[in-house]
Amino acid sequence: MQSRTSAPAGETSQSLPKPKRQRTQGLRNMELGFLIFAYVIVLAALLQVQLGVTGAFDFQALALLGFVAILTLAMHVVLRFIAPQADPFILPIATTLNGLGISMIYRLELGGVETANSFAQILYTGIGVAFGIAVLFLVRNHRILQRYTYLFGLISLVLLLLPLIPGLGVSEANARVWISIGPFNFQPGEIAKVTIAIFFAGYLVTARDSLSMVSRKFLGMKLPRMRDLGPILVVWAICMAILVFQRDLGTSLLYFGLFLVMIFVSTGRISWVVIGLVLFVAGATVAAFNISYVNWRVMAWLDPLSPEHYDAVGGSYQLVQGMFGLANGGLIGTGLGQGRPDITPLAESDFIIAALGEELGLAGLFAILCLYLLFVARGFRIGHQGGDDFGRLLATGLAFVIGLQVFIVVGGVTRVIPLTGLTTPFLAAGGSSLLTNWIIVAILLRLSDTVKTSSTPQIKPASQEVRP
């Protein structure tokens, strides 16, 4: 009678772990290959920028690429040891986008834009990657985060309130979303995107059963009970408060959209999305007619070429310049270093999509959007394969944050929706955004490694007794 612990015929227990090691090495080798391809793309962009602006090459492009390569290779090496089964596409995609952003900022710097600083962006990238590596070391299993659900909720609330503290918040900005500590400015709402996603994931795992309860049907939808509407009303009220007190339309839209998607994934009830959209439309309508900041954004969006909006301070001048730049780029673009993105205000940050669209054209912009689409798709795939509800919700929420933010930014630049002031993930200049985005990359990598590790059956030696 064959023992239950014996290895399958033709196979020994010592040979079983070898395919797993080969598969793991294959993932990391694939990641390294994609990283090298990303470096080639970034190097080509940097050299073309130099040739287009100055007409010559120098070693500064190689120095910029070297910094990017050292930082991302460090994370790759760390993944080989502590997350060997992590997704092999996320790091190369983030590297490519980050490198293209540095290339455009370098181009604007060579073009005389005083606010563009490529070495500062390299420094911010280094800080972001360092924090990402720290997350990989500290969070060996994503389920640890679930233990501190309400602590992350409290941290999120504190981060949102920091810009409103007198003496700490920067009141000169159009939106009160920055804090100033000595010579440094920081946007705590960027970090809050991660902490809020963790809080939502942890909360919805525990409250899913009550939120899934149905009171009655209406128009084919199963509506939730009235007493279960509290969470969505609280989140809606907080987002409206952000809009009113911080004058930050983009962040309030991002948080509310994140909650809607996560509650839908958690419960599977389309009625929650419908209720959320009704609340959003109601809040947006009231804000558009009663809050001057929102009303001005909407009017500048509807009629950007009106002299009333075009010539005013904070009007539609930036939007119109970005649209002219995109139109000038056409299908294949003017070529890196050959356009005039420097005449668009804040081309290195808020309107970097317009700058890239002008010089890379519709084709280049489409390729960039495809990279974002692939990044979000990998995040959704990690969530779909998750072995626990918390991991599924967290991966889906973090991937959706990137996707929704790209839609809000690109939609504003192309005049699909009003401008909101959000930054383009990985591309735009800014330390707060880069830090947050690389933390998101690290968490998704950890989630993907945990999913594959937990789903891999554990092979016991043949000589070990197996108890029933």
Side-chain angles (χ1 to χ4, degrees):
M1 184 175 180
Q2 186 180 10
S3 172
R4 289 186 299 172
T5 59
S6 60
E11 218 173 5
T12 63
S13 60
Q14 289 79 8
S15 65
L16 288 176
K18 187 175 181 179
K20 179 181 176 182
R21 288 198 303 269
Q22 292 176 345
R23 183 171 62 252
T24 298
Q25 293 176 357
L27 290 175
R28 301 279 63 83
N29 292 337
M30 182 189 301
E31 180 181 76
L32 180 59
F34 284 132
L35 276 176
I36 294 174
F37 184 64
Y39 300 151
V40 172
I41 294 175
V42 176
L43 178 61
L46 289 169
L47 293 177
Q48 189 175 350
V49 162
Q50 284 188 339
L51 183 62
V53 178
T54 66
F57 299 121
D58 59 40
F59 291 102
Q60 190 172 8
L62 295 176
L64 291 173
L65 177 67
F67 287 133
V68 175
I70 290 172
L71 293 172
T72 52
L73 280 176
M75 179 172 279
H76 168 75
V77 172
V78 169
L79 289 174
R80 283 187 175 270
F81 288 97
I82 67 174
Q85 298 195 67
D87 189 278
F89 295 96
I90 291 179
L91 179 58
I93 293 172
T95 301
T96 305
L97 292 170
N98 203 158
L100 289 176
I102 293 171
S103 301
M104 178 50 64
I105 294 171
Y106 179 51
R107 181 260 177 274
L108 294 169
E109 183 181 9
L110 292 178
V113 178
E114 296 181 357
T115 54
N117 190 330
S118 57
F119 280 102
Q121 189 73 350
I122 290 284
L123 177 61
Y124 296 147
T125 301
I127 296 174
V129 173
F131 269 84
I133 293 175
V135 169
L136 289 172
F137 275 106
L138 295 175
V139 183
R140 293 302 183 97
N141 192 313
H142 68 272
R143 297 178 184 88
I144 297 176
L145 300 175
Q146 188 177 2
R147 301 177 185 175
Y148 307 100
T149 295
Y150 292 98
L151 177 60
F152 280 109
L154 178 61
I155 292 174
S156 303
L157 184 61
V158 172
L159 290 173
L160 293 177
L161 292 177
L162 282 178
L164 300 178
I165 299 177
L168 185 62
V170 180
S171 58
E172 290 82 5
N174 293 327
R176 295 181 60 91
V177 296
W178 294 89
I179 61 174
S180 178
I181 303 176
F184 302 102
N185 290 338
F186 187 76
Q187 192 172 349
E190 288 288 336
I191 298 296
K193 292 188 301 188
V194 178
T195 58
I196 284 179
I198 296 173
F199 168 71
F200 284 164
Y203 169 76
L204 291 174
V205 166
T206 58
R208 179 183 56 186
D209 292 338
S210 61
L211 294 174
S212 300
M213 298 296 292
V214 178
S215 61
R216 59 181 180 276
K217 290 186 177 181
F218 178 73
L219 297 178
M221 293 185 300
K222 298 178 181 180
L223 298 177
R225 299 177 301 181
M226 291 299 297
R227 60 185 178 182
D228 295 325
L229 293 177
I232 194 171
L233 293 176
V234 169
V235 173
W236 177 79
I238 292 175
C239 292
M240 290 301 296
I242 293 173
L243 178 61
V244 172
F245 294 106
Q246 295 189 353
R247 297 164 56 89
D248 191 359
L249 177 62
T251 300
S252 60
L253 174 60
L254 186 66
Y255 292 163
F256 193 63
L258 171 64
F259 183 73
L260 279 187
V261 166
M262 294 184 73
I263 197 173
F264 171 70
V265 173
S266 175
T267 63
R269 303 292 187 192
I270 192 66
S271 56
W272 282 111
V273 178
V274 175
I275 293 171
L277 292 177
V278 170
L279 289 173
F280 169 75
V281 171
T285 303
V286 172
F289 285 99
N290 296 278
I291 302 177
S292 58
Y293 162 74
V294 180
N295 179 264
W296 186 257
R297 286 288 181 98
V298 173
M299 292 299 103
W301 167 60
L302 293 175
D303 192 10
L305 294 177
S306 169
E308 178 185 0
H309 303 128
Y310 184 78
D311 297 331
V313 177
S316 60
Y317 174 77
Q318 182 185 28
L319 174 61
V320 172
Q321 290 295 99
M323 292 170 58
F324 285 161
L326 288 172
N328 186 45
L331 180 62
I332 59 175
T334 61
L336 286 173
Q338 298 295 311
R340 289 303 307 276
D342 51 290
I343 63 177
T344 300
L346 300 178
E348 77 283 357
S349 55
D350 291 1
F351 270 68
I352 196 169
I353 283 292
L356 288 166
E358 178 179 357
E359 300 202 333
L360 296 179
L362 180 62
L365 196 57
F366 180 76
I368 292 174
L369 294 179
C370 285
L371 286 176
Y372 281 118
L373 180 62
L374 183 58
F375 185 94
V376 174
R378 301 304 295 186
F380 284 165
R381 183 176 183 271
I382 294 169
H384 178 72
Q385 293 181 336
D388 63 293
D389 293 335
F390 176 76
R392 283 195 291 267
L393 284 174
L394 183 57
T396 303
L398 292 177
F400 181 77
V401 161
I402 299 294
L404 180 59
Q405 190 165 340
V406 171
F407 169 76
I408 293 173
V409 173
V410 177
V413 172
T414 56
R415 202 168 155 254
V416 174
I417 59 175
L419 285 173
T420 58
L422 289 178
T423 57
T424 313
F426 299 107
L427 288 175
S432 308
S433 178
L434 273 180
L435 172 62
T436 303
N437 294 329
W438 280 104
I439 290 177
I440 290 176
V441 166
I443 295 177
L444 288 177
L445 290 171
R446 172 54 68 200
L447 284 166
S448 63
D449 178 71
T450 306
V451 166
K452 293 183 179 180
T453 302
S454 60
S455 61
T456 302
Q458 300 297 320
I459 307 298
K460 296 181 179 295
S463 59
Q464 182 176 346
E465 180 184 0
V466 178
R467 297 180 180 180

